[in-house]
């Protein structure tokens, strides 16, 4: 019996709303716990305990709930994701604005809950080299945790991030949780212990520098360390099939570029109406421009673990009951470059969602040579 098809990926507006919601709730947890600690007369040590427990627990819950929607909840993670070719650069400013807006709204709500006005601080700047280094190291460590979990234990990512962020309350003097959105939100407050707005740019720069260093570190680590050959039994095969030539070929080629090569590979099933003659010229040209290695054709004698049926304008080939999910795409002529790129744009978010849901993601870093594609199924 097949698994129900997965929901279509969220559009950009809903993803931005998710970012704003998550950042706002993190700020409410951080500021609310700080206010409660002061209200109860807690010591400095007890106040840090309040903040680390509340922020860690809330962040873990939010990541578990919002992770299927691609929640970053942190401009530094969005920046690193763009360096890794996962988030388009044109969307990065929108993500940052949504994260900052949600953080500021969360601060307004937290101050309203605490009967405190939202005011700009008038203290002189106090940023120095030590605080700059603190923010850079904290964000560098966060990205190391995120990248390492994506590569080794994707399912543990929410708990690992929450645990690390909770720990930063204890080993740094900063309460920005390695998050530029929280830095900017905290700069808009007159509360004791927050930063001056003139300090914010140096803190954000330190955090983005730490994120970039972590991305380049993992690029170097992955480029110089040979990987052991995967066990054949552990490699899952994904079949893409479409009634028209082109969508299945492009989907399989993109999948093999984005998927972890030791966990899953994709094959393309030729249209059932005729023997496969390859994708249309526009799709083949796009694949060549993107340096994509064509995926092998499906060998029906080799079992597959996952089937994706691509419907174009309601037309789809007949597949057996093992179909796991269906992707519906608008009608595309695939006769020119624009239509081929439109097909790529329609496929990429669905592929990212499938990879994240199944834990097949590659630790994708700054663009480099195209990875080796899977060998033909024999």
């Amino acid at each position: 019996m097949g698994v129900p098809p997965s929901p279509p990926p969220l559009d950009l507006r809903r993803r931005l709303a998710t970012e704003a919601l998550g950042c706002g709730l993190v700020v409410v947890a951080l500021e609310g716990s700080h206010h409660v600690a002061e209200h109860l007369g807690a010591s400095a040590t007890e106040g840090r305990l309040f903040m680390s427990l509340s922020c860690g627990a809330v962040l873990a819950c939010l990541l578990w709930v919002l992770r299927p929607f691609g929640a970053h909840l942190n401009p530094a993670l969005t920046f690193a994701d763009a360096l890794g070719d996962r988030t388009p650069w044109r969307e990065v400013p929108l993500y940052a604005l949504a994260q900052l807006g949600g953080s500021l709204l969360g601060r307004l709500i937290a101050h309203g809950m605490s009967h405190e006005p939202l005011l700009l601080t008038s203290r002189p700047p106090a940023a120095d080299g030590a605080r700059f280094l603190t923010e850079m190291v904290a964000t560098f460590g966060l990205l190391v945790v995120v990248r390492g979990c994506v590569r080794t234990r994707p399912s543990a990512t929410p708990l690992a991030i929450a645990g690390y962020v909770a720990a930063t309350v204890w080993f740094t003097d900063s309460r920005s949780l390695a998050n530029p959105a929280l830095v900017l939100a905290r700069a808009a407050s007159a509360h004791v212990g927050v930063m001056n707005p003139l300090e914010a740019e140096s803190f954000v720069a330190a955090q983005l520098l730490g994120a970039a260093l972590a991305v380049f570190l993992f690029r170097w680590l992955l480029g110089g360390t040979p990987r052991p050959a995967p066990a054949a039994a552990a490699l899952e095969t994904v079949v893409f099939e479409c009634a028209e030539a082109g969508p299945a070929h492009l989907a399989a080629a993109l999948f093999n570029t984005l998927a972890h090569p030791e966990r899953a590979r994709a094959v393309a099933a030729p249209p059932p109406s005729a023997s496969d003659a390859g994708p249309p010229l526009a799709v083949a040209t796009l694949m060549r421009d993107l340096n994509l290695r064509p995926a092998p054709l499906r060998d029906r004698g080799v079992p597959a673990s996952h089937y994706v049926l691509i419907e174009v304008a309601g037309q789809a080939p007949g597949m057996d009951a093992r179909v796991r999910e269906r992707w519906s795409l608008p009608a595309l002529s695939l006769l020119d470059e624009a239509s081929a790129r439109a097909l790529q744009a329609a496929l990429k978010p669905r592929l990212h969602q499938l990879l994240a849901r199944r834990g097949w993601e590659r630790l994708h870093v700054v663009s480099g040579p195209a990875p080796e594609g899977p060998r033909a199924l024999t």
Side-chain angles (χ1 to χ4, degrees):
M1 184 173 180
V3 176
S6 61
L10 296 179
D11 59 31
L12 181 59
R13 290 178 301 172
R14 289 178 173 83
R15 282 184 277 133
L16 296 179
T18 299
E19 297 292 333
L21 171 65
C23 287
L25 291 176
V26 170
V27 172
V28 169
L30 177 66
E31 298 301 320
S33 60
H34 182 79
H35 173 76
V36 170
E38 287 186 339
H39 180 72
L40 296 177
S43 65
T45 301
E46 292 169 338
R48 284 179 179 260
L49 181 62
F50 271 63
M51 287 187 289
S52 63
L53 290 177
S54 63
C55 292
V58 168
L59 188 57
C61 294
L62 289 174
L63 290 174
W64 277 113
V65 173
L66 301 179
R67 183 170 176 250
F69 307 132
H72 300 161
L73 311 186
N74 188 330
L77 294 182
T78 302
F79 173 70
D81 218 40
L83 285 179
D85 198 28
R86 292 285 308 280
T87 298
W89 281 105
R90 66 177 180 276
E91 295 181 3
V92 171
L94 301 178
Y95 270 83
L97 289 174
Q99 292 156 347
L100 174 59
S103 299
L104 290 173
L105 181 59
R107 174 164 286 280
L108 280 170
I109 294 173
H111 278 229
M113 293 165 56
S114 306
H115 302 287
E116 296 179 356
L118 181 69
L119 299 173
L120 291 177
T121 178
S122 59
R123 295 183 303 105
D128 54 26
R131 298 185 71 179
F132 184 94
L133 182 62
T134 296
E135 297 295 335
M136 184 181 71
V137 170
T139 310
F140 174 84
L142 175 62
L143 265 295
V144 168
V145 170
V146 172
R147 294 271 163 169
C149 281
V150 168
R151 178 170 175 78
T152 58
R153 296 288 298 276
S155 61
T157 302
L159 288 179
I161 292 176
Y164 178 86
V165 168
T168 62
V169 178
W170 291 95
F171 72 82
T172 71
D173 290 330
S174 170
R175 291 200 300 272
S176 62
L177 308 183
N179 191 328
L182 269 63
V183 169
L184 297 173
R186 292 181 62 234
S189 173
H191 199 281
V192 177
V194 299
M195 66 189 66
N196 187 283
L198 299 179
E199 302 172 343
E201 60 184 19
S202 62
F203 279 55
V204 171
Q207 292 170 336
L208 295 181
L209 176 59
L213 289 176
V215 170
F216 284 103
L217 170 67
F218 269 86
R219 181 186 184 187
W220 176 76
L221 289 175
L222 294 179
T225 303
R227 299 178 184 176
L235 192 63
E236 300 193 57
T237 301
V238 181
V239 176
F240 289 92
E241 185 165 356
C242 182
E244 299 181 9
H249 297 82
L250 182 58
L254 288 169
F255 180 96
N256 288 333
T257 300
L258 299 172
H260 195 297
E262 299 175 9
R263 294 179 184 155
R265 62 179 173 183
V267 296
S273 58
S275 59
D276 183 68
L281 179 60
V283 175
T285 302
L286 176 63
M287 292 171 59
R288 186 168 56 253
D289 292 343
L290 297 176
N291 202 18
L292 297 177
R293 184 184 295 270
L297 298 180
R298 180 191 178 191
D299 182 350
R300 296 188 179 272
V302 177
S305 56
H306 201 91
Y307 294 81
V308 178
L309 181 64
I310 301 177
E311 299 178 344
V312 179
Q315 297 182 2
M319 289 184 70
D320 53 38
R322 293 173 294 178
V323 171
R324 301 295 297 273
E325 55 185 286
R326 288 177 168 83
W327 296 352
S328 297
L329 303 180
L332 297 170
S333 63
L334 301 182
L335 298 178
D336 53 28
E337 180 183 358
S339 60
R341 292 195 176 273
L343 174 61
Q344 177 198 10
L347 289 172
K348 283 193 72 173
R350 292 171 169 83
L351 289 168
H352 284 310
Q353 187 183 47
L354 171 62
L355 292 167
R357 188 174 66 250
R358 301 284 297 187
W360 291 335
E361 295 167 298
R362 174 192 295 271
L363 183 59
H364 210 60
V365 293
V366 181
S367 300
E372 288 291 326
R375 298 177 181 177
L377 294 176
T378 55

